[in-house]
Amino acid sequence: MSPLLGLRSELQDTCTSLGLMLSVVLLMGLARVVARQQLHRPVAHAFVLEFLATFQLCCCTHELQLLSEQHPAHPTWTLTLVYFFSLVHGLTLVGTSSNPCGVMMQMMLGGMSPETGAVRLLAQLVSALCSRYCTSALWSLGLTQYHVSERSFACKNPIRVDLLKAVITEAVCSFLFHSALLHFQEVRTKLRIHLLAALITFLVYAGILLMILMFSFFLPWLHNNHTINKKE
C-alpha cells in the first residue's frame, strides 16, 4: 500500500501545481480584460498588458521548473507540459512580447518606437521581480510536499558546461527561435501558435543534444576541412 499511497500523493501534488498555473492564467486573463476596458492611455495600456503577460509567464515557468525537478526520470511528462503551456501562453498573450529580446528585435526592425520599447522592458523587469516574490509566498503555504519556503530564489549560475559551449548552444537556439518567429508571421495565427509551441518543446529537449552533435561532429568536421584546405 505504501507505493500506492506515495503515487496518489504525487498525483495530488502535480494536480495542485497544474491548478495553480491555470489559476494564474485565468486571473491574468481577467485582469487583461479589465485593463483593456479601463485603460485608454497608450503608455499605461502597454505597461499593464506587458506586466500581466510577463507575470503569467514567469509564475508558470517557476512552477514548471519545480515540476521538472520532481520528475527527472519522466522527461516526456515535462515536455508535454512545456508544449501545453506554450500553447496556452501563445493563445492568451497575443499582442505582448514577454521577452526583452522580442522587444529589442521589434525596435530594431522599426515595428516599435524606442519609448514604447522602454516602457515594455520596464514592465517586464518589474513583473519578473513581482512574480518571484509572489511565487515564493505561494510556496511558503506548503500546498504540496515540494512547495517549501526554504527553496532559494537566489541567482545561481545556470551554466553547467564550458562557457564557450553554453554561448554557442544558446546562440543557435535563439537564432532558430527568432528566425522561426519572423518567418511564421505570415502563417495563420492558430497554426502559428502550434508551430511555435512545438519549436519551443523541441529546443527544450534538443538544447543538450544540439550541443553534443555540434561539438562531437560539426565543429571537428569544419576543423578538418579547414586543415585540408590549408594543406592544399
Side-chain angles (χ1 to χ4, degrees):
M1 288 296 290
S2 177
L4 187 61
L5 289 174
L7 182 62
R8 184 177 178 182
S9 175
E10 185 177 325
L11 182 61
Q12 288 177 341
D13 288 343
T14 301
C15 289
T16 301
S17 285
L18 292 176
L20 281 174
M21 287 188 280
L22 292 175
S23 298
V24 169
V25 172
L26 289 174
L27 286 173
M28 294 303 103
L30 290 173
R32 278 191 294 274
V33 171
V34 174
R36 288 191 176 100
Q37 292 176 348
Q38 301 298 324
L39 296 175
H40 303 293
R41 294 179 58 189
V43 174
H45 186 266
F47 182 90
V48 172
L49 289 185
E50 199 67 42
F51 178 94
L52 295 173
T54 305
F55 187 88
Q56 172 182 319
L57 192 62
C58 289
C59 285
C60 290
T61 300
H62 287 313
E63 196 67 31
L64 276 174
Q65 183 178 2
L66 189 66
L67 277 175
S68 67
E69 291 174 1
Q70 306 308 314
H71 304 283
H74 304 287
T76 304
W77 170 239
T78 302
L79 292 173
T80 302
L81 291 179
V82 169
Y83 179 79
F84 173 74
F85 278 97
S86 296
L87 279 181
V88 170
H89 297 321
L91 290 169
T92 58
L93 304 183
V94 176
T96 58
S97 301
S98 310
N99 187 308
C101 292
V103 172
M104 289 187 284
M105 183 175 70
Q106 290 184 51
M107 290 170 62
M108 287 187 290
L109 292 174
M112 183 184 298
S113 67
E115 294 79 10
T116 303
V119 168
R120 293 198 176 201
L121 289 173
L122 178 62
Q124 291 172 8
L125 175 62
V126 174
S127 183
L129 290 173
C130 289
S131 70
R132 174 178 173 176
Y133 291 114
C134 287
T135 303
S136 180
L138 276 174
W139 287 354
S140 67
L141 298 177
L143 297 176
T144 70
Q145 61 181 350
Y146 42 82
H147 281 172
V148 290
S149 57
E150 292 79 14
R151 184 177 174 83
S152 174
F153 271 97
C155 291
K156 299 176 181 176
N157 185 5
I159 301 175
R160 299 177 184 176
V161 295
D162 294 340
L163 182 61
L164 178 62
K165 294 181 179 181
V167 169
I168 294 177
T169 303
E170 186 69 22
V172 171
C173 290
S174 297
F175 175 79
L176 290 174
F177 177 75
H178 288 288
S179 296
L181 201 61
L182 288 172
H183 285 87
F184 290 164
Q185 293 299 319
E186 305 300 323
V187 181
R188 286 185 305 161
T189 302
K190 291 183 179 180
L191 178 59
R192 182 171 70 243
I193 291 169
H194 283 277
L195 290 173
L196 289 175
L199 178 62
I200 291 170
T201 306
F202 168 76
L203 291 177
V204 169
Y205 179 74
I208 297 175
L209 180 61
L210 186 65
M211 183 176 65
I212 292 172
L213 290 174
M214 185 182 301
F215 284 91
S216 297
F217 300 101
F218 183 65
L219 290 183
W221 176 76
L222 281 180
H223 175 72
N224 291 336
N225 278 359
H226 180 67
T227 304
I228 291 171
N229 290 335
K230 284 184 71 176
K231 288 180 179 179
E232 291 177 352

